[in-house]
Coordinates of all heavy atoms in Angstrom, one line a residue:
H21 N 101.9 104.4 106.2 CA 100.6 105.1 106.4 C 100.8 106.1 107.6 O 100.5 107.3 107.5 CB 99.4 104.1 106.7 CG 98.3 104.8 107.3 ND1 97.4 105.6 106.4 CD2 97.8 105.0 108.6 CE1 96.4 106.1 107.3 NE2 96.7 105.7 108.5
R22 N 101.5 105.6 108.7 CA 101.6 106.4 109.9 C 102.5 107.6 109.6 O 102.3 108.6 110.1 CB 102.1 105.6 111.0 CG 101.1 104.7 111.6 CD 101.6 103.9 112.8 NE 100.6 103.0 113.4 CZ 100.8 101.9 114.0 NH1 102.0 101.4 114.2 NH2 99.9 101.2 114.6
S23 N 103.4 107.3 108.6 CA 104.4 108.4 108.3 C 103.7 109.6 107.4 O 104.3 110.7 107.3 CB 105.7 107.9 107.6 OG 105.3 107.6 106.3
Q24 N 102.6 109.3 106.9 CA 101.9 110.2 105.9 C 100.9 111.2 106.6 O 100.7 112.2 106.0 CB 101.1 109.4 104.8 CG 102.1 108.6 104.1 CD 103.1 109.4 103.3 OE1 102.8 110.3 102.5 NE2 104.4 109.0 103.6
G25 N 100.5 110.9 107.8 CA 99.6 111.9 108.4 C 98.3 112.1 107.8 O 97.8 113.2 107.7
V26 N 97.7 111.0 107.1 CA 96.5 111.0 106.5 C 95.4 110.2 107.1 O 95.8 109.3 107.9 CB 96.7 110.8 105.0 CG1 97.5 111.8 104.3 CG2 97.2 109.4 104.7
F27 N 94.2 110.3 106.7 CA 93.1 109.4 107.1 C 93.2 108.0 106.5 O 92.6 107.1 107.1 CB 91.7 110.0 106.9 CG 91.5 111.3 107.6 CD1 90.5 112.2 107.2 CD2 92.2 111.6 108.8 CE1 90.2 113.3 107.9 CE2 91.9 112.7 109.5 CZ 90.9 113.6 109.1
A28 N 93.7 107.9 105.3 CA 93.8 106.6 104.6 C 94.8 106.5 103.7 O 95.3 107.5 103.1 CB 92.3 106.4 104.0
T29 N 95.2 105.2 103.5 CA 96.3 104.9 102.5 C 95.8 103.7 101.6 O 95.2 102.8 102.2 CB 97.6 104.5 103.2 OG1 98.2 105.7 103.9 CG2 98.7 104.1 102.2
V30 N 95.9 103.9 100.3 CA 95.5 102.8 99.5 C 96.8 102.2 98.9 O 97.7 102.8 98.5 CB 94.6 103.4 98.3 CG1 95.3 104.4 97.5 CG2 94.2 102.2 97.4
T31 N 96.8 100.8 98.7 CA 98.0 100.2 98.1 C 97.7 100.2 96.6 O 96.6 99.7 96.2 CB 98.0 98.7 98.6 OG1 98.2 98.8 100.0 CG2 99.3 98.0 97.8
A32 N 98.6 100.7 95.9 CA 98.5 100.7 94.4 C 99.4 99.7 93.7 O 100.5 99.4 94.2 CB 98.8 102.2 93.9
I33 N 98.9 99.1 92.7 CA 99.5 98.1 91.9 C 99.4 98.5 90.4 O 98.6 99.2 90.0 CB 99.1 96.8 92.2 CG1 97.6 96.5 92.0 CG2 99.3 96.3 93.7 CD1 97.4 95.9 90.7
Q34 N 100.3 97.8 89.7 CA 100.2 98.0 88.2 C 99.9 96.5 87.7 O 100.9 95.7 87.7 CB 101.5 98.6 87.6 CG 101.6 100.0 87.9 CD 102.9 100.6 87.1 OE1 104.0 100.0 87.4 NE2 102.6 101.6 86.3
P35 N 98.7 96.3 87.3 CA 98.5 94.9 86.9 C 99.1 94.6 85.6 O 99.3 95.4 84.7 CB 96.9 94.9 86.7 CG 96.6 96.3 86.3 CD 97.6 97.1 87.2
A36 N 99.4 93.2 85.4 CA 100.0 92.8 84.1 C 98.9 92.9 83.1 O 97.7 92.6 83.3 CB 100.4 91.2 84.3
G37 N 99.4 93.1 81.9 CA 98.3 93.1 80.8 C 97.9 91.7 80.4 O 98.8 90.7 80.7
R38 N 96.9 91.5 79.9 CA 96.4 90.1 79.6 C 96.7 89.8 78.0 O 96.7 88.7 77.7 CB 94.9 90.1 79.7 CG 94.4 89.2 80.9 CD 93.0 89.1 81.0 NE 92.6 87.8 80.4 CZ 91.2 87.6 80.2 NH1 90.4 88.3 80.6 NH2 90.9 86.4 79.6
F39 N 96.8 90.9 77.2 CA 97.0 90.6 75.8 C 98.2 91.3 75.3 O 98.8 92.2 76.0 CB 95.8 91.1 75.0 CG 94.4 90.4 75.6 CD1 93.7 91.2 76.4 CD2 94.1 89.2 75.3 CE1 92.5 90.7 77.0 CE2 93.0 88.6 75.8 CZ 92.1 89.4 76.6
G40 N 98.7 91.0 74.1 CA 99.7 91.7 73.5 C 99.4 93.1 73.1 O 98.3 93.4 72.7
G41 N 100.3 94.0 73.4 CA 100.1 95.4 73.1 C 100.7 95.8 71.8 O 101.8 95.4 71.4
I42 N 100.0 96.7 71.0 CA 100.4 97.1 69.7 C 100.4 98.6 69.7 O 99.3 99.3 70.0 CB 99.6 96.6 68.5 CG1 99.6 95.0 68.5 CG2 100.0 97.3 67.2 CD1 98.6 94.5 67.5
E43 N 101.6 99.3 69.4 CA 101.7 100.6 69.2 C 101.6 100.9 67.7 O 102.5 100.3 67.0 CB 102.9 101.2 69.9 CG 103.1 102.7 69.9 CD 104.3 103.2 70.5 OE1 104.9 102.4 71.2 OE2 104.6 104.3 70.3
L44 N 100.8 101.8 67.2 CA 100.6 102.0 65.8 C 101.3 103.3 65.4 O 101.4 104.2 66.1 CB 99.2 102.1 65.5 CG 98.3 100.8 65.7 CD1 96.8 101.1 65.4 CD2 98.8 99.6 65.1
D45 N 101.7 103.2 64.0 CA 102.2 104.4 63.2 C 101.5 104.3 62.0 O 102.0 103.6 61.0 CB 103.7 104.3 63.2 CG 104.3 105.6 62.5 OD1 103.5 106.5 62.3 OD2 105.4 105.5 62.1
G46 N 100.3 104.9 61.9 CA 99.5 104.7 60.7 C 99.1 103.4 60.5 O 98.5 102.9 61.5
M47 N 99.3 102.7 59.4 CA 98.9 101.4 59.2 C 100.1 100.4 59.5 O 100.0 99.3 58.9 CB 98.4 101.3 57.7 CG 97.1 102.1 57.5 SD 95.8 101.7 58.6 CE 95.3 100.1 58.1
R48 N 101.1 100.8 60.2 CA 102.2 99.9 60.5 C 102.3 99.7 62.0 O 101.9 100.7 62.7 CB 103.5 100.4 60.0 CG 103.6 100.6 58.4 CD 103.7 99.2 57.7 NE 103.9 99.2 56.4 CZ 102.9 99.1 55.4 NH1 101.7 98.8 55.8 NH2 103.1 99.2 54.2
V49 N 102.7 98.6 62.4 CA 103.0 98.4 63.8 C 104.4 98.9 64.1 O 105.4 98.7 63.6 CB 103.0 96.9 64.1 CG1 103.4 96.7 65.6 CG2 101.7 96.3 63.9
K50 N 104.3 100.0 65.1 CA 105.6 100.6 65.5 C 106.2 99.8 66.6 O 107.4 99.7 66.6 CB 105.2 102.0 66.0 CG 106.3 102.8 66.4 CD 105.9 104.3 66.9 CE 107.0 105.0 67.3 NZ 106.6 106.5 67.8
N51 N 105.5 99.2 67.4 CA 106.0 98.4 68.5 C 105.0 97.3 69.0 O 103.8 97.6 68.9 CB 106.3 99.3 69.7 CG 107.0 98.5 70.9 OD1 107.7 97.5 70.6 ND2 106.9 99.1 72.1
F52 N 105.6 96.1 69.2 CA 104.7 95.1 69.8 C 105.3 94.6 71.0 O 106.6 94.3 71.0 CB 104.5 94.0 68.7 CG 103.6 92.9 69.3 CD1 102.3 92.9 68.9 CD2 104.1 91.7 70.0 CE1 101.4 91.9 69.3 CE2 103.2 90.8 70.4 CZ 101.9 90.9 70.1
S53 N 104.5 94.4 72.0 CA 105.0 93.8 73.3 C 103.9 92.8 73.9 O 102.8 93.1 74.0 CB 105.4 94.9 74.2 OG 104.3 95.8 74.5
E54 N 104.4 91.6 74.1 CA 103.5 90.7 74.7 C 103.2 90.8 76.0 O 104.2 91.0 76.8 CB 104.1 89.2 74.4 CG 103.3 88.1 75.0 CD 101.8 88.0 74.3 OE1 101.6 88.6 73.3 OE2 101.1 87.3 74.9
K55 N 101.9 91.0 76.4 CA 101.4 91.2 77.8 C 102.2 92.3 78.5 O 102.8 92.0 79.5 CB 101.4 89.9 78.5 CG 100.5 88.9 77.9 CD 100.4 87.7 78.8 CE 99.4 86.8 78.2 NZ 99.9 85.5 77.7
P56 N 102.1 93.5 78.0 CA 102.8 94.6 78.6 C 102.2 94.9 80.1 O 101.0 94.4 80.3 CB 102.6 95.8 77.7 CG 101.4 95.5 77.0 CD 101.4 94.0 76.8
K57 N 102.9 95.7 80.9 CA 102.4 95.8 82.3 C 101.2 96.9 82.2 O 101.4 98.0 82.5 CB 103.5 96.3 83.1 CG 103.1 96.5 84.5 CD 104.3 96.0 85.4 CE 103.8 95.9 87.0 NZ 104.4 94.9 87.5
G58 N 100.1 96.4 81.7 CA 99.0 97.3 81.7 C 99.2 98.6 80.9 O 100.0 98.5 80.0
D59 N 98.5 99.7 81.2 CA 98.8 100.9 80.4 C 99.6 101.9 81.2 O 99.7 103.0 80.8 CB 97.3 101.5 80.2 CG 96.6 101.9 81.4 OD1 97.1 101.7 82.6 OD2 95.5 102.4 81.3
G60 N 100.3 101.3 82.3 CA 101.3 102.2 83.0 C 100.5 102.9 84.1 O 101.3 103.5 85.0
R61 N 99.2 102.8 84.2 CA 98.5 103.5 85.3 C 98.6 102.6 86.5 O 98.6 101.3 86.4 CB 97.1 103.7 84.9 CG 96.9 104.7 83.7 CD 95.6 105.1 83.5 NE 95.0 105.8 84.6 CZ 93.8 106.5 84.7 NH1 93.1 106.4 83.6 NH2 93.5 107.2 85.7
W62 N 98.5 103.2 87.7 CA 98.4 102.6 89.0 C 96.9 102.3 89.2 O 96.1 103.3 89.1 CB 99.1 103.3 90.0 CG 100.5 103.4 89.9 CD1 101.3 104.3 89.2 CD2 101.4 102.5 90.4 NE1 102.5 103.9 89.2 CE2 102.8 102.9 90.1 CE3 101.4 101.3 91.3 CZ2 103.9 102.2 90.5 CZ3 102.6 100.7 91.7 CH2 103.8 101.2 91.3
I63 N 96.6 101.2 89.8 CA 95.2 101.0 90.3 C 95.1 100.5 91.7 O 96.1 100.2 92.3 CB 94.5 99.8 89.4 CG1 95.1 98.5 89.7 CG2 94.5 100.2 87.9 CD1 94.3 97.4 89.1

Side-chain angles (χ1 to χ4, degrees):
H21 168 76
R22 289 180 176 156
S23 75
Q24 297 303 300
V26 295
F27 293 159
T29 297
V30 57
T31 300
I33 58 97
Q34 288 185 303
R38 249 183 98 187
F39 306 102
I42 298 174
E43 185 179 346
L44 302 176
D45 182 13
M47 297 305 291
R48 297 287 185 261
V49 174
K50 182 176 178 180
N51 184 25
F52 183 90
S53 54
E54 180 59 13
K55 295 185 177 114
K57 191 141 186 141
D59 61 3
R61 295 186 70 169
W62 292 87
I63 66 165

